[in-house]
């Protein structure tokens, strides 16, 4: 598919084959006049925070839904995802003694790449579900119709989600003194919940000591929280680019941080061209087939000025390959003078189909890929910069294993994902404690 604007002559992978181009142009025109969701100063602040990650001074924790849905734009599920990320960050900050940069896969993750353009069930073939920004997950001709008006609903849903996120992270909910309140549910009755409760007691003691000393830092009451998504749909992303009147630089106003997926990082493609023009911090997903030469070419195209915090590589190798495939990429990038942050996505390389037909992931494989990621960086003397996860704030049964020991036969109990399997809250906290131990062994 060929784009207009700066990318008009370039191929764009994973774009919907919209049936009505006039409707697409109308949606793009409305998006060009829409209010920005984020502002340049916020994006620059995140760039500075990721620069600290690249220097080995902080850890990036990025996570949320595989695919957000319009129906999920409600206070309770948004609060639950924010709470889960805050709890994981608290574990890492306190148990591993490392500052954590908190980035949600939120307020924009409404589009998904697909392996096939269609899906067949019972002899009926329909367009594949490409995320709520394009069509609906229900398997009917009406629901699966590609509708460009959904791009406008995506902006509205993202704005509502971002408003909730900002309210929760600045309005008292993120106060460290709420650490116990975040645990007053099913997690409190699990082994990892008990472990977290012990940590919360230590935090309370530390805060009481600080207050006794007359110290009351604002950071105790609010947190920096950024949002990110895959910049997949160029009909959505291109119209939301805005010029910063102070600097003249161009920023995506759809999110603080955007990433290019494994399927759309072609060096001669529209996505790399688009990302090269925006000043936001950006990331690129790298699978096990990525060559060192490709990494160097991506650095030259996307970070020619070698700006610290500008570029993050999110590696998704799979637990069986990460120890072999990652080292040459890290070594070549370091030798190229690039101040990139390296982040582990242990989700996408470890997906398999259960006998029940559900897509799932093994917690043990996820943990092993993270362990391999840390081992590689420790061996090379480089910094294991962060985690990129798909999780939710509820007690879903989508990934097997973990402290609550979800079994293959349990998957159907609460399999709620619109696309790929996510860690539940207990599994997420289990992983946070494991990572804290990897970060500070002994």
């Amino acid at each position: 598919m060929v784009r207009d604007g700066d990318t008009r002559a370039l191929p764009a992978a994973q774009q919907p084959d919209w049936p009505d181009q006039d409707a697409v142009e109308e949606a793009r025109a409305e998006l060009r006049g829409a209010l920005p969701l984020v502002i340049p100063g916020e994006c620059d602040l995140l760039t500075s925070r990721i620069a600290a990650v690249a220097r080995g001074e902080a850890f990036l924790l990025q996570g949320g839904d595989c695919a957000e849905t319009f129906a999920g734009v409600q206070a309770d599920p948004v609060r639950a995802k924010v709470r889960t990320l805050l709890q994981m960050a608290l574990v890492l900050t306190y148990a591993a003694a490392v500052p954590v940069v908190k980035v949600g896969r939120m307020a924009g993750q409404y589009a998904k790449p697909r392996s096939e353009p269609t899906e067949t069930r019972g002899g009926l073939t329909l367009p594949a579900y490409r995320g709520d920004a394009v069509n609906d997950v229900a398997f009917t001709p009406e629901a699966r119709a590609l509708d460009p008006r959904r791009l406008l609903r995506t902006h509205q849903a993202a704005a509502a989600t971002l408003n909730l996120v900002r309210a929760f992270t600045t309005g008292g909910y993120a106060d460290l003194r709420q650490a116990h309140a975040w645990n007053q549910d099913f997690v409190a009755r699990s082994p990892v919940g008990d472990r977290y409760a012990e940590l919360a007691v230590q935090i309370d003691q530390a805060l009481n000591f600080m207050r006794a000393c007359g110290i009351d830092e604002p950071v105790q009451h609010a947190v920096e929280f950024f949002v990110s998504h895959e910049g997949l749909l160029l009909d959505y992303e291109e119209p939301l680019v805005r010029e910063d009147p102070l600097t003249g630089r161009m920023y995506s106003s759809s999110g603080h941080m955007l990433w290019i997926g494994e399927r759309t990082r072609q060096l001669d493609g529209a996505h790399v061209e688009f990302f090269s023009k925006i000043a936001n911090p950006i990331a690129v997903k790298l699978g096990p087939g990525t060559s060192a030469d490709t990494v160097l070419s991506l650095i030259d195209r996307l970070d020619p000025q070698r700006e610290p915090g500008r570029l993050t590589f999110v590696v998704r190798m799979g637990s069986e390959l990460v120890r072999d495939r990652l080292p040459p990429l890290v070594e070549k990038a370091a030798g190229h003078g690039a101040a990139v942050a390296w982040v582990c996505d242990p989700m996408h390389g470890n997906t398999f189909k259960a006998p029940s037909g559900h897509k799932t992931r093994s917690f043990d494989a996820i943990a092993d890929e993270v362990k391999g990621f840390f081992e590689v960086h420790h061996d090379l003397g480089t910094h294991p910069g962060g985690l990129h996860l798909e999780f939710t704030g509820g007690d879903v049964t989508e990934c097997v294993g973990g402290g609550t020991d979800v079994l293959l036969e349990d998957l159907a109990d609460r399999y709620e994902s619109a696309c790929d399997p996510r860690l539940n809250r207990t599994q997420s906290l289990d992983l946070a404690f494991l990572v804290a131990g990897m970060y500070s062994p002994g």
Side-chain angles (χ1 to χ4, degrees):
M1 186 175 181
V2 176
R3 310 299 315 157
D4 58 6
D6 288 342
T7 61
R8 63 187 179 277
L10 300 176
Q14 293 287 336
Q15 303 303 289
D17 188 12
W18 301 113
D20 186 346
Q21 282 300 314
D22 289 340
V24 174
E25 293 308 315
E26 290 175 5
R28 288 174 65 97
E30 288 195 43
L31 288 172
R32 280 192 289 271
L35 292 173
L37 298 175
V38 301
I39 60 174
E42 294 173 325
C43 301
D44 291 344
L45 177 60
L46 179 55
T47 298
S48 71
R49 298 296 186 248
I50 297 176
V53 174
R55 292 192 301 267
E57 300 168 359
F59 192 82
L60 175 65
L61 180 61
Q62 185 174 12
D65 275 324
C66 165
E68 292 180 285
T69 63
F70 297 155
V73 185
Q74 302 178 40
D76 286 346
V78 172
R79 178 170 49 235
K81 284 180 285 188
V82 170
R83 176 189 59 195
T84 299
L85 197 143
L86 291 178
Q87 284 187 299
M88 294 182 71
L90 198 64
V91 169
L92 289 165
T93 301
Y94 201 80
V98 58
V100 176
V101 182
K102 293 167 278 292
V103 181
R105 278 178 61 113
M106 303 173 72
Q109 191 60 17
Y110 294 99
K112 295 295 295 181
R114 308 305 303 184
S115 299
E116 299 293 338
T118 60
E119 180 183 357
T120 300
R121 298 185 195 174
L124 177 63
T125 299
L126 296 174
Y129 172 62
R130 290 185 172 273
D132 274 20
V134 178
N135 55 4
D136 193 86
V137 70
F139 195 74
T140 67
E142 296 78 14
R144 291 296 177 91
L146 310 184
D147 181 4
R149 298 293 299 179
R150 283 177 165 266
L151 297 173
L152 303 177
R153 291 185 63 189
T154 295
H155 183 269
Q156 295 164 0
T161 300
L162 191 53
N163 282 341
L164 286 169
V165 168
R166 284 175 168 149
F168 292 141
T169 55
T170 63
Y173 184 74
D175 192 314
L176 283 179
R177 288 169 294 191
Q178 295 292 321
H180 281 298
W182 297 341
N183 212 39
Q184 300 300 314
D185 53 17
F186 77 97
V187 173
R189 298 186 297 274
S190 69
V192 72
D194 293 339
R195 191 174 179 187
Y196 176 86
E198 293 174 4
L199 188 73
V201 169
Q202 297 174 35
I203 292 169
D204 274 351
Q205 292 171 345
L207 290 175
N208 288 336
F209 175 77
M210 292 174 68
R211 282 194 292 271
C213 295
I215 301 171
D216 190 30
E217 294 290 338
V219 71
Q220 298 174 23
H221 310 299
V223 296
E224 291 179 352
F225 195 105
F226 305 94
V227 297
S228 66
H229 63 273
E230 180 178 357
L232 180 65
L233 295 182
L234 297 179
D235 284 321
Y236 178 73
E237 301 298 344
E238 288 175 342
L240 290 174
V241 172
R242 302 286 185 267
E243 181 179 354
D244 179 6
L246 297 178
T247 66
R249 302 173 78 193
M250 306 303 291
Y251 288 80
S252 168
S253 70
S254 69
H256 298 116
M257 180 186 195
L258 276 63
W259 73 84
I260 308 175
E262 167 78 355
R263 294 184 174 103
T264 54
R265 57 172 175 77
Q266 296 83 7
L267 290 165
D268 61 350
H271 288 86
V272 169
E273 176 68 16
F274 172 76
F275 274 66
S276 73
K277 304 297 185 184
I278 59 174
N280 306 59
I282 60 174
V284 184
K285 291 285 191 81
L286 304 177
T290 307
S291 69
D293 287 342
T294 295
V295 168
L296 299 187
S297 296
L298 286 166
I299 293 169
D300 289 340
R301 285 291 308 280
L302 298 172
D303 187 24
Q305 304 302 318
R306 305 296 191 266
E307 177 187 0
R310 157 70 174 171
L311 181 59
T312 297
F313 283 132
V314 181
V315 295
R316 38 164 294 180
M317 303 288 181
S319 61
E320 296 180 354
L321 297 175
V322 65
R323 293 169 177 85
D324 294 329
R325 304 292 174 86
L326 180 57
L329 307 188
V330 177
E331 288 181 302
K332 278 293 185 72
H336 207 52
V340 301
W342 290 95
V343 170
C344 178
D345 169 2
M347 309 297 292
H348 288 88
N350 297 302
T351 304
F352 67 96
K353 182 173 286 189
S356 61
H358 293 92
K359 282 198 297 184
T360 189
R361 292 157 174 160
S362 163
F363 180 87
D364 288 345
I366 290 168
D368 186 58
E369 180 163 358
V370 176
K371 182 179 179 182
F373 174 79
F374 271 76
E375 289 172 358
V376 167
H377 284 284
H378 287 156
D379 289 345
L380 295 176
T382 52
H383 180 56
L387 284 181
H388 182 119
L389 303 171
E390 291 181 348
F391 65 70
T392 183
D395 58 343
V396 300
T397 54
E398 297 173 1
C399 294
V400 295
T404 52
D405 200 18
V406 176
L407 305 176
L408 287 172
E409 51 266 35
D410 298 328
L411 291 175
D413 292 349
R414 287 196 62 179
Y415 198 103
E416 301 173 2
S417 175
C419 193
D420 290 336
R422 305 160 296 175
L423 296 170
N424 61 34
R425 186 175 169 208
T426 302
Q427 292 165 330
S428 299
L429 285 178
D430 274 332
L431 188 61
F433 276 108
L434 286 172
V435 171
M438 296 174 196
Y439 204 97
S440 300

